[in-house]
């Protein structure tokens, strides 16, 4: 087992070292930067989905889903990251402590649906505000 762990460490180190050898001109290209951003977003989304909805080999909805829902709302409100983490942990603990285990999936799914609605409303408000600011700037000119 330790052999595999050391081999994985060596591969990780080699990969990171090879990243330093990439010419700077290649990294300055807009397409490379855009691709790196998309890969980062995709990786983060897959890690969140895997950790929030999986249990063993199956998909599950439990207190982690409720924590994710609250974290989505907190992020849409632009709260500090520490507050987002603390709120998510608190909601997860609260759901596990208060809600009977057979109702936990239903409560968590309802919280997720409500949170997605709140995030969508906040995004729409933000878009309207940005649009009105563009209009006021255009009319002032």
């Amino acid at each position: 087992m330790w052999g595999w762990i050391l081999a994985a460490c060596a591969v990780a180190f080699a990969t990171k070292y090879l990243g330093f050898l990439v010419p700077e001109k290649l990294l300055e290209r807009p397409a490379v930067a855009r691709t790196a951003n998309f890969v980062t977003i995709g990786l983060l989304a897959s890690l969140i989905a895997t950790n929030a909805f999986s249990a063993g080999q199956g998909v599950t909805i439990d207190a982690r889903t409720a924590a994710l829902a609250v974290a989505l709302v907190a992020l849409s409100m632009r709260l500090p990251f520490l507050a987002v983490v603390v709120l998510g942990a608190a909601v997860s603990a609260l759901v596990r402590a208060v809600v009977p285990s057979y109702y936990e999936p239903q409560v968590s799914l309802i919280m997720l649906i409500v949170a997605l609605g709140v995030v969508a409303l906040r995004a729409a408000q933000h878009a309207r505000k940005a649009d009105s600011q563009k209009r006021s700037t255009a009319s002032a000119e």
Side-chain angles (χ1 to χ4, degrees):
M1 168 124 161
W2 283 105
W4 288 108
I5 292 173
L6 291 174
C9 290
V11 168
F13 178 78
T15 304
K16 192 157 188 98
Y17 184 72
L18 287 173
F20 289 115
L21 299 178
V22 174
E24 221 175 293
K25 284 185 178 182
L26 180 70
L27 297 175
E28 291 174 356
R29 293 181 184 170
V32 172
R34 195 170 45 248
T35 302
N37 286 336
F38 287 144
V39 167
T40 304
I41 292 168
L43 180 61
L44 183 59
S46 67
L47 287 171
I48 289 171
T50 302
N51 287 319
F53 300 111
S54 68
Q57 295 293 322
V59 176
T60 186
I61 295 176
D62 57 8
R64 296 174 296 176
T65 309
L68 177 63
V70 170
L72 283 172
V73 172
L75 283 172
S76 74
M77 295 172 66
R78 299 186 184 269
L79 292 178
F81 185 70
L82 183 60
V84 172
V85 172
V86 169
L87 283 170
V91 166
S92 179
L94 185 67
V95 167
R96 287 189 174 133
V98 174
V99 178
S101 61
Y102 50 88
Y103 286 128
E104 191 175 310
Q106 291 88 347
V107 169
S108 297
L109 188 59
I110 290 169
M111 288 182 74
L112 182 61
I113 291 168
V114 169
L116 290 174
V118 168
V119 169
L121 287 173
R122 292 202 43 90
Q125 288 172 346
H126 182 69
R128 269 186 267 150
K129 184 178 177 183
D131 190 44
S132 66
Q133 286 176 347
K134 283 181 186 177
R135 286 183 190 158
S136 65
T137 304
S139 65
E141 293 174 354

